[in-house]
Amino acid sequence: PQVISLARQAPETTIVLDHMGIPLGVGSCAPQGKTIPEWRTSMVELSKCPNVRVKLSGAGMPGFGFGFEWRARPPTSDELAAAWGELVYFIIRTFGVDRCFFASNFPVDGVSCSYGVLWNAFKKLARRYSAADRRKLFRDNAIATYKLRT
């Protein structure tokens, strides 16, 4: 709710929402199932602010609640894609492919997976999109958002 207010008060300012808005407590850590519905409602409202961009990142952090950091063996990219898919696809559907981009959160995500496995999971999640949309999600949107010269 605070980011929604800020985005509305400063519509000329681009706001980059880190880590998909961090829906803390996904999975087994969710307090009585309230976290995800509340997060979804907030994200839908925030998506109405055209100045907001979303980094598809951070899901390897313990706060997301997937528990990969506790496993004896690290997850595969298929396991990460399966676990993170619902959140990632919801954000892309809600904000649109032009306002989202994949990003790492290393070294913090390293408690759950390796850098290569993380990016392979992102590639697997992006398979359903066209080549042009994948280029936006992996490159073009970040360049535009941060006004990078290439």
Side-chain angles (χ1 to χ4, degrees):
Q2 294 167 334
V3 174
I4 296 167
S5 177
L6 177 65
R8 288 177 179 156
Q9 290 173 28
E12 71 289 343
T13 301
T14 299
I15 295 172
V16 179
L17 185 68
D18 265 350
H19 314 320
M20 298 181 281
I22 256 185
L24 289 174
V26 173
S28 62
C29 297
Q32 300 172 342
K34 288 186 176 181
T35 301
I36 292 298
E38 290 171 1
W39 170 78
R40 284 179 184 269
T41 300
S42 293
M43 293 300 99
V44 168
E45 194 61 30
L46 186 59
S47 74
K48 296 174 185 175
C49 302
N51 56 324
V52 176
R53 307 294 179 267
V54 183
K55 284 174 58 173
L56 305 169
S57 63
M61 294 187 298
F64 272 78
F66 290 110
F68 291 119
E69 69 276 9
W70 300 110
R71 291 177 35 167
R73 297 172 67 166
T76 65
S77 57
D78 288 324
E79 290 173 308
L80 294 178
W84 300 346
E86 180 183 348
L87 300 176
V88 169
Y89 295 140
F90 171 78
I91 288 293
I92 295 172
R93 273 193 318 273
T94 303
F95 284 83
V97 75
D98 293 324
R99 294 171 56 201
C100 301
F101 53 96
F102 288 107
S104 84
N105 185 40
F106 262 76
V108 181
D109 280 339
V111 300
S112 294
C113 62
S114 72
Y115 190 76
V117 168
L118 173 106
W119 282 99
N120 283 336
F122 289 162
K123 290 177 198 175
K124 290 175 180 186
L125 288 165
R127 283 181 182 159
R128 65 170 56 183
Y129 300 101
S130 70
D133 284 349
R134 287 193 308 270
R135 184 176 170 96
K136 291 176 185 180
L137 291 167
F138 284 105
R139 181 184 184 277
D140 295 349
N141 293 346
I143 289 170
T145 297
Y146 296 119
K147 297 177 176 45
L148 302 174
R149 288 186 277 175
T150 57

